[in-house]
Amino acid sequence: MNAPPPDQQRRVNIRTEDGLQRVEVEVISHYRSELVESLRKTGGLLTVGNTTIRLAKEFGFCYGVERAIDLAYAARQVFADRKLYLLGEIIHNPEVNRQLDAMGIISIPMAEQERTISTLSPQDVVIVPAFGAETRLMNIIKERGCLVVDTTCGDVMNVWKRVRSYAKQAFTSIIHGKSSHEETRATASRALGDQGNGHYLVVLTLDDVDYVCRYIREGGNREEFLARFNGESVSDGFDPDLHLQRVGVANQTTMLKSETEEIQRQVRQAVIDRDGEELAPKNFQVFDTICGATQERQDSLFDMLEKPMDVLMVVGGYNSSNTAHLVEIGEKELPTFFIRTAECLKSFTEIIHFDLHQKAEKTSYSEKLASPDPIIVGITAGASCPNNLIEETILRICELRGIAPEHVLQEAAKAAA
């Protein structure tokens, strides 16, 4: 096979009707849960013996994640005789990525992507994950002539359109996100614009934003600013004295909605304080780029927290941003455990969970779960968590409280009938 001209990206459409039917069967076999489907029919509530499970109304796989997984599975079927490479992880869930690895899809760690891609040939297939990929990586893939299966989420691409438009108008993109996250890195690369002369600044915390807003209002020490925001947090050549004059706010799509809204408000007010109400609209732009699924899962948890619960379990990958924000919401109200899978529930005296503040796993004891008294356990999951992991978590909690898994399944099916 001859390589195409380097200016042509070899993207392929593998979503044929026959192929997707075969993919659906395989995906269902890996991730479906009859228990979760039954609970959805009962409004997410199930009581068995002394244990009540309350499931959030919105949780688990979103459309973008389902599409990314479907495309990855379809790529394996369509290109059965070729090497398939995945840029990092398809989504932030270890079970899903383990399945792809078992299918022979080669995941390239972030630190090795540029070097590995540079060795590929037109016979190779590269899968772009749901987060997207930086433009420099996409350019190398194009130069190598590889086939591309692009699973980038539509919500992410909407953010890219917005930051590109900022760059065209000489606006700096202030991006609310984690500078090391794949999605934010991909978005930042688009904020440079088609000519590569745009600028961006990535902020994570409200403390970061407060600092930036003071600089917008009053100016400040340029060297101190660049010492605080450096590396992946700013574009090359960023000068706060120049590039904070005209700003547009965007965000990583999976951030906490309330924080993003507060950042938008604060930056807008800072520009108004500096320029006045009449001139400020010429120097400030904003566009709501929080993904709908992220909002739904956060709003659903807020709704669930208005009802009585004793403990909350949040299931998902520890590096999943949208899942971590669910943990942040929950732990302000009640004991909350961020677990990867049901295997983290060794016993109620040994619950292995991720501590967002220590940024590490730790082992804890739950007096509530261990009590023989009636208890209500809330369960939710981020957009990258499959239903089978939620089922396993429910069954494990009940099992540790002396309820056989088959009894739970029977009661759920009976309630849903």
Side-chain angles (χ1 to χ4, degrees):
M1 180 185 297
N2 295 324
D7 61 336
Q8 293 181 13
Q9 193 80 48
R10 300 178 65 212
R11 299 176 189 270
V12 288
N13 178 15
I14 54 177
R15 292 170 66 87
T16 63
E17 184 174 346
D18 177 58
L20 287 181
Q21 287 178 349
R22 286 183 282 123
V23 163
E24 183 180 8
V25 171
E26 190 172 11
V27 170
I28 285 175
S29 71
H30 286 166
Y31 306 120
R32 183 185 178 188
S33 164
E34 292 186 8
L35 174 58
V36 169
E37 290 170 9
S38 294
L39 284 178
R40 284 191 185 277
K41 294 176 183 177
T42 64
L45 196 66
L46 176 68
T47 299
V48 185
N50 61 355
T51 304
T52 296
I53 300 295
R54 188 184 297 282
L55 198 57
K57 183 179 179 181
E58 299 292 342
F59 61 89
F61 281 175
C62 64
Y63 169 76
V65 165
E66 288 179 343
R67 174 181 173 275
I69 292 171
D70 286 351
L71 287 172
Y73 275 61
R76 179 70 285 173
Q77 291 186 2
V78 171
F79 302 110
D81 59 343
R82 299 197 191 194
K83 284 189 175 181
L84 266 67
Y85 294 88
L86 170 63
L87 299 180
E89 300 180 333
I90 193 74
I91 57 172
H92 284 158
N93 185 275
E95 169 63 15
V96 174
N97 289 296
R98 184 191 66 76
Q99 290 282 4
L100 296 185
D101 180 67
M103 292 160 57
I105 296 176
I106 303 165
S107 174
I108 313 174
M110 189 179 296
E112 301 174 14
Q113 287 174 2
E114 187 169 341
R115 178 183 61 80
T116 301
I117 293 168
S118 298
T119 68
L120 301 185
S121 76
Q123 292 290 336
D124 296 317
V125 180
V126 178
I127 301 174
V128 178
F131 321 107
E134 297 171 68
T135 53
R136 66 180 180 84
L137 294 177
M138 298 305 295
N139 288 337
I140 298 172
I141 293 169
K142 180 168 39 175
E143 290 169 2
R144 302 304 299 173
C146 304
L147 287 167
V148 175
V149 176
D150 192 348
T151 80
T152 304
C153 175
D155 286 326
V156 173
M157 289 192 283
N158 283 337
V159 182
W160 294 354
K161 291 177 185 176
R162 178 56 50 172
V163 297
R164 278 195 178 110
S165 75
Y166 289 162
K168 285 181 181 178
Q169 301 169 70
F171 274 67
T172 294
S173 293
I174 296 180
I175 304 169
H176 178 211
K178 301 172 182 176
S179 61
S180 61
H181 192 284
E182 300 96 318
E183 181 191 325
T184 297
R185 289 165 64 119
T187 296
S189 71
R190 270 76 182 181
L192 298 176
D194 296 334
Q195 304 303 315
N197 56 356
H199 287 281
Y200 64 82
L201 169 68
V202 180
V203 294
L204 178 59
T205 67
L206 292 176
D207 188 49
D208 287 341
V209 176
D210 182 60
Y211 183 91
V212 172
C213 288
R214 284 201 308 272
Y215 206 101
I216 289 173
R217 289 188 180 95
E218 308 163 9
N221 186 310
R222 178 179 178 276
E223 286 68 32
E224 179 186 274
F225 187 102
L226 294 175
R228 175 167 182 154
F229 299 101
N230 53 50
E232 297 172 334
S233 295
V234 290
S235 51
D236 289 342
F238 185 88
D239 184 340
D241 295 328
L242 296 175
H243 300 129
L244 291 179
Q245 293 301 309
R246 308 181 79 200
V247 295
V249 180
N251 58 275
Q252 183 181 317
T253 59
T254 53
M255 300 305 288
L256 191 62
K257 178 183 177 182
S258 59
E259 276 194 6
T260 290
E261 291 176 339
E262 177 62 15
I263 288 168
Q264 293 168 351
R265 187 196 67 78
Q266 288 193 26
V267 175
R268 177 179 180 274
Q269 189 60 51
V271 175
I272 290 173
D273 292 345
R274 183 192 65 192
D275 300 338
E277 289 277 1
E278 189 172 325
L279 187 58
K282 297 179 181 179
N283 294 327
F284 173 79
Q285 294 188 47
V286 68
F287 182 74
D288 183 8
T289 51
I290 287 285
C291 105
T294 295
Q295 288 187 28
E296 288 171 357
R297 280 146 188 74
Q298 292 176 10
D299 292 344
S300 179
L301 177 55
F302 281 121
D303 289 344
M304 188 165 71
L305 289 171
E306 294 179 359
K307 304 176 180 68
M309 291 188 297
D310 297 292
V311 176
L312 177 67
M313 293 285 175
V314 182
V315 189
Y318 294 158
N319 58 345
S320 167
S321 176
N322 75 91
T323 308
H325 291 310
L326 295 176
V327 178
E328 290 177 8
I329 292 169
E331 66 184 10
K332 293 177 182 178
E333 304 296 333
L334 78 170
T336 299
F337 296 94
F338 185 3
I339 63 172
R340 192 167 46 209
T341 67
E343 293 179 0
C344 293
L345 301 174
K346 304 296 183 183
S347 69
F348 291 144
T349 60
E350 189 182 0
I351 300 174
I352 301 170
H353 63 108
F354 192 77
D355 188 305
L356 293 178
H357 311 285
Q358 297 179 9
K359 294 181 170 51
E361 270 191 337
K362 70 178 186 180
T363 302
S364 297
Y365 163 74
S366 174
E367 182 178 352
K368 287 280 188 181
L369 287 170
S371 168
D373 297 333
I375 190 173
I376 302 174
V377 181
I379 297 179
T380 189
S384 54
C385 183
N387 282 353
N388 65 307
L389 298 189
I390 299 168
E391 172 175 317
E392 291 168 7
T393 299
I394 294 170
L395 294 179
R396 180 59 177 162
I397 290 169
C398 291
E399 182 181 30
L400 289 173
R401 288 181 60 79
I403 306 165
E406 55 270 22
H407 186 43
V408 178
L409 295 170
Q410 290 169 1
E411 290 300 308
K414 188 187 303 180

